[in-house]
Amino acid sequence: MNKGDYMVHWSGKVCMVEDMAEMNLTGTKRMYFILTPVRDKAEKIYVPIEKTEGTLRPVLSRKEAVSLAGRIRDIEPLQIKDEKQRAQEYKTAYYSQDYLNLVRIAKELYQRKESRGREGKKLPSKDAQMMLLVEKTFEEEMAVALGVETSEVKNMLEAGSRT
């Protein structure tokens, strides 16, 4: 990981590695990556260098993003095994650090939204919150990887989520 690289933080924020510095943030001096989220340039995220596994993953390469964009329609939606645990299943998939899970969650939520809309219902608030989180993370990551605006990615995801 180098200055200028883009990473996805476990929180879903796509960040640029601004710097590495030795700091004493927790009572012990250690080396930290200093990250700046693309959606909020004023924010800084500090990640201890020795704790990057499970905390950060590289943004998709352009080649991976192009491949993913071409097969969104073929990726199956997340299968919810227990309706009572729906929110937890979304969280588990989201925090898995697997970018394919972002697509699976999004497809499940888009289909659920359409289905509920036909019944005159809205998405439950937890589903709507997860949809917003997944969309932002996916759109930011794909936009950075492809060098496009997030609005272009949103249109691609919506089109690929329709069956």
Side-chain angles (χ1 to χ4, degrees):
M1 200 175 333
N2 299 303
K3 282 174 82 169
D5 287 351
Y6 285 93
M7 306 297 290
V8 180
H9 185 259
W10 68 265
S11 66
K13 295 177 180 177
V14 175
C15 303
M16 185 192 314
V17 177
E18 290 289 331
D19 207 351
M20 293 178 284
E22 186 176 55
M23 293 184 270
N24 183 350
L25 299 179
T26 61
T28 305
K29 276 190 175 186
R30 24 164 73 148
M31 289 297 291
Y32 286 86
F33 285 111
I34 303 169
L35 310 172
T36 302
V38 297
R39 73 176 88 145
D40 183 2
K41 304 273 190 238
E43 182 181 355
K44 298 289 183 216
I45 298 174
Y46 302 92
V47 178
I49 288 178
E50 72 274 7
K51 295 196 177 187
T52 57
E53 190 173 323
T55 303
L56 299 173
R57 70 169 171 81
V59 165
L60 296 172
S61 68
R62 178 171 180 74
K63 183 178 178 180
E64 290 169 322
V66 167
S67 172
L68 177 60
R71 60 192 173 101
I72 283 180
R73 281 197 183 277
D74 300 328
I75 297 170
E76 291 295 319
L78 184 69
Q79 299 299 311
I80 303 299
K81 295 170 187 74
D82 181 351
E83 280 297 318
K84 292 180 182 177
Q85 295 296 317
R86 174 178 287 279
Q88 186 57 47
E89 288 188 44
Y90 288 149
K91 284 181 186 176
T92 299
Y94 181 81
Y95 291 116
S96 71
Q97 293 280 320
D98 179 351
Y99 65 88
L100 288 176
N101 278 338
L102 293 179
V103 177
R104 290 181 184 114
I105 296 166
K107 289 184 84 163
E108 162 62 22
L109 286 167
Y110 278 119
Q111 290 174 7
R112 183 168 165 83
K113 182 178 179 180
E114 285 180 359
S115 173
R116 290 181 65 88
R118 286 190 297 271
E119 298 169 3
K121 299 177 183 178
K122 292 182 178 181
L123 274 179
S125 64
K126 285 188 178 187
D127 286 2
Q129 289 170 349
M130 180 54 72
M131 182 180 250
L132 185 61
L133 183 62
V134 166
E135 284 176 339
K136 280 187 176 186
T137 302
F138 183 78
E139 290 166 11
E140 287 175 5
E141 181 170 11
M142 291 292 283
V144 166
L146 296 171
V148 299
E149 295 297 319
T150 56
S151 59
E152 293 178 57
V153 177
K154 182 173 181 125
N155 294 337
M156 176 183 62
L157 182 60
E158 287 175 348
S161 294
R162 292 187 184 99
T163 53

